[in-house]
Amino acid sequence: DHLRGFARTIPSFLMAYGDENTTLYNFEHKADAKEFEELTSITKEDFRKLRDGFNYVNENGEEKRYEGFFDEIVFNASIQEFLAKKEALSDYFDEAVQEDIFDYIPAQKTNQIFTPKPVVRRMVDFLEKENPGIFTDPDKKYLDLYTKSGLFLAEIVRRLYQGLESVIPDKTERICHIFRHQVYGVAPTQIIQNIAENFVYGEKKEEIKSRIVAHDLTPEAQRGTVQEKLYELFGDETLKFDVIIGNPPYQEEAKGTGTRDQPLYHYFMDEAFSIADKTCLITPARFLFDAGQTPKAWNRKMLDDEHLKVIEYYSSSKMVFDMVDIKGGVVITLYDKNKNYNKINVFTPHL
């Protein structure tokens, strides 16, 4: 089980730390011990034992030698095959590329499931349809509160790069302006930050000050202090975000004697609505039916909010996340504090 689990983490590890020089015998070098264990679920010492072999005493008291698990040639070839695929899919400006590299990376935790590229693009399409010309404004700032892959940020970058062509004609100046002043993300771990930075910034990563930071905002979301934490994380108490977009964490695993996972997404929705003028999120849909574990008063508040609009409802979560079953389905919502969409009141899906 440990070996199977480790194998599932290799693509994520390569997204965060891999390059053309990565091999079986330096695989663990770039990550510190804590990050390595956090991602792979085994220690560096255990990995080296699996790789290099070790001596042990069997049940008869005889000393034996385990020669190691990995085939060096196969392991190295697999690394290069994945990195080649990553390179082939790295140009997110190319609309002809329908796949993305995250299709090849197994999710490690429920709260860190990657949103498929077609869904990301649909959400940004909805945002643009409701706000024509939004991507021609060089002053608008966009934020993903719980970056998992960088896909949302990359799609925003792509739209801004197209929309700002007449405003900032020079290509290099334009992309640097977008990276430095318009697109921000908060990743829940250092590893995910590395993955998102590598994906969004690519070769520009070393040239700019990253606007993707590592911090899990869940405690601040629960306390209602996300805005203050954002000021701290980005070092700017005047920072104002115009748009929040993304896929927040859905639930927290049951603790102690509890048997039910506790919802988290409603905290992130509340915080997003208070921080930005416009918010587009994909979340569980149970609140639309006044069901699930979110507070009844909160469900009612959402259904009575004239600024909240259902963009797309999926009765089965597997229509979006093919490996995940979320009871009640999932929904894409759009919130705009400056528009009146009328109350949802009673939600009736169009079947």
Side-chain angles (χ1 to χ4, degrees), residues 131-269:
N131 303 274
I134 192 172
F135 296 118
T136 64
D137 188 337
D139 298 320
K140 286 266 189 291
K141 296 187 187 300
Y142 300 80
L143 172 66
D144 183 347
L145 286 171
Y146 205 84
T147 301
K148 303 183 183 84
S149 61
L151 275 167
F152 283 103
L153 301 180
E155 186 62 21
I156 295 293
V157 169
R158 191 175 72 84
R159 304 293 178 102
L160 287 168
Y161 186 77
Q162 295 169 346
L164 295 176
E165 184 175 5
S166 63
V167 182
I168 310 175
D170 182 86
K171 293 180 179 180
T172 300
E173 182 184 350
R174 192 188 326 153
I175 194 66
C176 288
H177 171 85
I178 294 166
F179 285 156
R180 289 171 179 154
H181 304 293
Q182 293 196 263
V183 178
Y184 297 73
V186 184
T189 69
Q190 179 70 56
I191 292 162
I192 294 176
Q193 179 196 24
N194 287 347
I195 291 173
E197 285 181 337
N198 289 339
F199 182 69
V200 175
Y201 297 140
E203 62 185 18
K204 295 285 186 186
K205 181 179 177 180
E206 305 304 323
E207 300 177 27
I208 63 167
K209 179 181 178 182
S210 175
R211 301 302 186 194
I212 303 173
V213 298
H215 181 79
D216 186 346
L217 284 170
T218 299
E220 287 80 13
Q222 291 172 313
R223 291 194 296 266
T225 59
V226 168
Q227 180 71 83
E228 292 79 0
K229 191 63 182 182
L230 292 174
Y231 291 152
E232 178 187 329
L233 290 170
F234 294 110
D236 183 354
E237 293 190 1
T238 66
L239 194 58
K240 172 70 172 69
F241 292 103
D242 300 283
V243 178
I244 289 176
I245 190 167
N247 181 4
Y250 292 172
Q251 61 191 22
E252 187 174 40
E253 292 183 1
K255 296 178 181 177
T257 57
T259 57
R260 286 185 170 178
D261 296 337
Q262 295 302 307
L264 292 173
Y265 68 93
H266 62 302
Y267 295 117
F268 280 84
M269 289 179 73

Side-chain angles (χ1 to χ4, degrees), residues 84-95:
K85 177 64 73 173
K86 174 187 170 186
E87 178 64 25
L89 299 177
S90 64
D91 185 3
Y92 56 80
F93 292 98
D94 185 352
E95 293 194 45

Side-chain angles (χ1 to χ4, degrees), residues 25-50:
Y25 282 94
N26 64 18
F27 182 79
E28 79 281 22
H29 288 183
K30 285 190 177 181
D32 65 29
K34 180 181 178 182
E35 290 171 357
F36 188 88
E37 186 173 0
E38 179 185 338
L39 179 56
T40 67
S41 299
I42 64 174
T43 65
K44 283 190 173 187
E45 181 181 0
D46 286 341
F47 170 72
R48 290 175 185 133
K49 284 182 178 179
L50 289 171

